């Protein structure tokens, strides 16, 4: 179940703002959301019947975060699911550019996506020692940058009725 902000954008993209249908129905009864789309399925109890919402929007606007959380998924997304050393999309791991053993931290600026062969090859060396440098200087991305990269990976697994709400701002935001 997809949750949209009052402006019809998803509350967050990564991870997507998803609720269980139980949470959604609770929110409908508390009058906090509008139902935008339904699943075919209905829930029934002796006293009521209701189609399960697939997309709801909040009645009051929640300010979206501008600084995405530092998560494994978001690091991969920033790096477009490509090894930052050879470009391979396969067998991805995380590489500390300055190895942890040399004081490197687990931060946006020091962690990149790397395939396991490159990660093994680099091992505990600094980029200078290994002569391996990331293709792009790692940075703390904005939500906007992650959205842009996210559009390269259509969320096929999502319920059809969600897709419009994931991409509706594409034209406004080339
Ligand atoms: Zn690689």
């Amino acid at each position: 179940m997809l949750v949209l902000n009052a402006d019809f954008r998803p509350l967050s993209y990564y991870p997507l703002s998803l609720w269980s249908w139980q949470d959604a129905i609770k929110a409908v009864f508390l009058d906090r959301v509008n139902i935008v789309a339904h699943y075919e399925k209905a829930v029934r109890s002796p006293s009521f019947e209701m189609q399960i919402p697939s997309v709801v929007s909040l009645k009051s606007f929640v300010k979206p975060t501008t600084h995405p959380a530092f998560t494994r998924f978001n690091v991969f997304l920033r790096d477009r699911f490509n090894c930052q050393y050879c470009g391979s999309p396969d067998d991805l791991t995380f590489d500390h550019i300055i190895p942890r053993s040399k004081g490197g931290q687990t931060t946006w600026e020091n962690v990149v996506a790397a395939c396991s062969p490159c990660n093994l090859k680099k091992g505990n060396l600094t980029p200078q020692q290994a002569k391996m440098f990331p293709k792009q200087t790692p940075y703390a991305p904005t939500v906007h940058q992650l959205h842009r990269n996210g559009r390269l990976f259509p969320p096929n697994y999502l319920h059809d009725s969600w897709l419009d709400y994931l991409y509706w701002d594409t034209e406004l935001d080339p």
Side-chain angles (χ1 to χ4, degrees):
M1 224 265 334
L2 177 64
V3 186
L4 303 175
N5 212 334
D7 67 351
F8 287 86
R9 293 176 186 242
L11 271 188
S12 73
Y13 285 75
Y14 310 109
L16 259 176
S17 35
L18 303 177
W19 291 353
S20 68
W21 64 266
Q22 290 91 340
D23 287 342
I25 287 174
K26 206 192 286 173
V28 170
F29 278 101
L30 293 172
D31 203 29
R32 293 198 180 131
V33 295
N34 295 308
I35 297 171
V36 180
H38 291 285
Y39 290 111
E40 297 295 313
K41 254 179 95 179
V43 278
R44 282 183 192 87
S45 82
S47 54
F48 80 98
E49 175 175 327
M50 176 180 178
Q51 277 188 297
I52 299 176
S54 61
V55 180
V56 297
S57 66
L58 299 182
K59 288 193 172 176
S60 52
F61 186 76
V62 174
K63 200 167 175 283
T65 52
T66 51
H67 298 286
F70 178 77
T71 64
R72 289 161 170 259
F73 184 83
N74 284 347
V75 169
F76 277 166
L77 190 63
R78 179 197 64 189
D79 295 345
R80 299 182 179 194
F81 293 86
N82 280 316
C83 172
Q84 290 301 293
Y85 297 106
C86 74
S88 167
D90 299 322
D91 212 358
L92 289 182
T93 62
F94 298 92
D95 179 57
H96 284 76
I97 299 175
I98 307 295
R100 268 181 295 190
S101 60
K102 296 189 162 67
Q105 296 192 323
T106 305
T107 58
W108 285 115
E109 290 78 13
N110 195 47
V111 175
V112 293
C115 69
S116 34
C118 286
N119 206 340
L120 276 173
K121 201 170 136 199
K122 186 163 167 288
N124 262 332
L125 302 175
T126 65
Q128 289 75 15
Q129 292 167 330
K131 298 196 166 36
M132 291 171 70
F133 299 91
K135 287 172 189 288
Q136 82 183 345
T137 306
Y139 58 95
T142 62
V143 165
H144 176 84
Q145 287 165 322
L146 290 189
H147 287 181
R148 206 176 46 203
N149 288 355
R151 290 198 193 97
L152 302 172
F153 303 94
N156 294 324
Y157 57 92
L158 296 181
H159 187 274
D160 286 346
S161 68
W162 296 1
L163 295 178
D164 290 344
Y165 303 100
L166 292 176
Y167 294 106
W168 78 277
D169 57 345
T170 305
E171 269 107 29
L172 302 173
D173 193 11

